[in-house]
Amino acid sequence: MWWSRLLPALLLTGCNTASYQSQVLDSPVVPFEELFDLADTIRLDPSIIIGQISFLDVNQEGSFLVADLVGRSVHLFSSSGEHIRPYPVPECLPDDAENYSPFSSRFLGNDYVVVMAFNGAVSVFSTDGRCIEATRRISKLSFGFCTSNDSILFLGPPWPVRNSVEEPAIIIYSPELHKLGEVPVKWPEFPVLNMGRGGIVGRNIDCFSDGPFYIYLGSMDAIPVRSSGNILRQRPEFYEQRPRDLSPDMSLDAKREEWNNYITTDGIFALDGHTRMLVYRNIDDRWLPEGAEDLYLYRGGSIASNKGEFSSLSTISSFVPIAAGYGYLYGQADPELLPDGDIGNPLILRYRFIRPKF
């Protein structure tokens, strides 16, 4: 795996981003339909009611791992929406059940499922539902993680913790939650903006075949941990650089207004092993479709190849992604109405990525 070969060198050299920063290419806006085609709509088994999808992950077989914030549960569904099993975190952390609210859950290879809660608790299950290991808190606070082969990579907080002078880092754990090491990452350009995180929950990092990429609020493009001159930064056509950080002395209302005045980078998704998609909000009105009424619903997206296999492209749409993987992008539609008149689960929309040919 990438980190086992490069971790010692990364720990010694840090992040060499000079060549990465020097190459920036424009990413022109095209219609959403040029990049994505609706493949199907999946109905999740109504025998299990999902209150709110806080996180959705997919594996190579197309199975769905659903973290339900309202139901405080995590469930596995087949690619057709059939319920397979729950992953009951209270069985791993019985004395933490009252505080348990899952915000992120991901497949770890073919053998494991990893669940993280808002209070910092982490649980690892075998895919057949057995509790493997759990902890109430890993070594550093984290707002997101991704998985690669048999490793869990947590992105630490982008600010000093308890007056510490530690650099922000990606902390690597085994499935048994043994700490394997840390890789230093860059400080955010806007540290106050990033205090407490924000954006799409759990989507500040994703793992690719060539290693993890991460973002901060205000990032123009994702940042690769493994910097390489072959990785080009892309600048979406609608992107406007935020001119300044928030002031720590601002009131909450003033911070909120300043936040919304400029583009915010919401999340990063791995469309496949070498293709990244970033999502942005607070797009300037002039880029929105004519007649758009609820401007808050619209997001900007940018698609780029980590290997430079095609020119990067951007799009603007009311479609808000909740998952990606293996060449597909996923979103959700309104909950279906069940025959007895009750409200069922949100429908899952699956879009096929149309790879650019140039």
Side-chain angles (χ1 to χ4, degrees):
M1 67 196 73
W2 74 269
W3 67 262
S4 62
R5 297 189 301 269
L6 297 182
L7 179 58
L10 287 171
L11 290 173
L12 289 173
T13 62
C15 295
N16 179 15
T17 60
S19 60
Y20 172 73
Q21 291 179 336
S22 64
Q23 303 176 72
V24 178
L25 299 178
D26 288 330
S27 180
V29 171
V30 299
F32 182 82
E33 294 74 19
E34 288 190 18
L35 292 170
F36 298 99
D37 177 51
L38 182 61
D40 50 23
T41 300
I42 298 97
R43 174 179 179 265
L44 296 179
D45 189 340
S47 67
I48 300 295
I49 296 299
I50 301 298
Q52 178 184 342
I53 299 177
S54 56
F55 201 91
L56 182 72
D57 196 26
V58 295
N59 63 13
Q60 194 163 7
E61 289 71 40
S63 300
F64 299 100
L65 186 62
V66 179
D68 178 4
L69 184 62
V70 173
R72 301 169 67 183
S73 57
V74 177
H75 295 274
L76 178 65
F77 294 85
S78 72
S79 59
S80 60
E82 177 187 2
H83 183 253
I84 298 176
R85 68 177 54 88
Y87 293 100
V89 172
E91 291 187 11
C92 281
L93 293 168
D95 58 346
D96 201 46
E98 292 185 1
N99 300 317
Y100 171 68
S101 295
F103 79 81
S104 183
S105 58
R106 290 187 186 258
F107 293 103
L108 173 56
N110 296 320
D111 299 323
Y112 303 101
V113 162
V114 184
V115 180
M116 191 172 190
F118 277 105
N119 64 356
V122 177
S123 301
V124 180
F125 294 87
S126 63
T127 50
D128 63 9
R130 292 177 294 111
C131 178
I132 301 299
E133 191 55 79
T135 180
R136 292 184 191 85
R137 183 67 58 88
I138 59 171
S139 61
K140 288 185 179 180
L141 177 68
S142 175
F143 293 105
F145 72 93
C146 65
T147 59
S148 179
N149 295 319
D150 58 354
S151 300
I152 313 165
L153 295 86
F154 297 92
L155 181 60
W159 64 82
V161 178
R162 299 186 182 92
N163 299 317
S164 168
V165 294
E166 289 184 90
E167 297 288 315
I170 289 175
I171 310 98
I172 304 169
Y173 280 81
S174 71
E176 297 77 24
L177 296 181
H178 298 149
K179 184 177 177 180
L180 303 175
E182 295 188 12
V183 179
V185 297
K186 294 179 60 175
W187 287 100
E189 184 176 0
F190 306 113
V192 179
L193 177 70
N194 282 274
M195 293 284 281
R197 181 48 194 165
I200 302 174
V201 176
R203 292 293 180 182
N204 55 344
I205 183 172
D206 216 335
C207 286
F208 298 80
S209 298
D210 49 346
F213 282 59
Y214 62 98
I215 61 164
Y216 294 123
L217 303 178
S219 296
M220 180 184 72
D221 194 3
I223 306 167
V225 171
R226 292 179 59 190
S227 300
S228 166
N230 295 325
I231 299 177
L232 305 176
R233 300 180 76 200
Q234 56 80 37
R235 180 194 294 115
E237 190 175 3
F238 53 75
Y239 181 83
E240 296 179 10
Q241 176 70 31
R242 184 179 290 268
R244 56 187 173 272
D245 197 3
L246 304 183
S247 168
D249 300 323
M250 285 179 169
S251 67
L252 289 178
D253 287 342
K255 284 183 178 179
R256 188 176 298 110
E257 181 177 359
E258 183 77 0
W259 175 306
N260 292 329
N261 279 340
Y262 304 100
I263 286 179
T264 300
T265 313
D266 247 12
I268 177 172
F269 296 84
L271 279 171
D272 58 41
H274 294 287
T275 306
R276 66 189 185 273
M277 177 176 182
L278 270 69
V279 177
Y280 310 81
R281 61 174 159 167
N282 302 330
I283 308 299
D284 190 277
D285 293 1
R286 72 177 186 274
W287 289 102
L288 300 180
E290 184 177 354
E293 296 181 359
D294 192 347
L295 305 183
Y296 178 77
L297 294 178
Y298 284 83
R299 298 290 187 273
S302 67
I303 313 294
S305 169
N306 299 351
K307 300 172 66 176
E309 294 177 328
F310 57 83
S311 299
S312 58
L313 294 171
S314 302
T315 191
I316 296 171
S317 171
S318 58
F319 178 81
V320 180
I322 60 173
Y326 306 99
Y328 290 92
L329 186 67
Y330 297 82
Q332 62 178 317
D334 292 336
E336 64 173 338
L337 184 64
L338 300 178
D340 60 4
D342 285 343
I343 301 298
N345 292 320
L347 297 172
I348 304 298
L349 306 176
R350 187 169 75 141
Y351 283 81
R352 182 181 296 106
F353 172 51
I354 306 171
R355 183 176 294 274
K357 298 180 180 179
F358 57 89

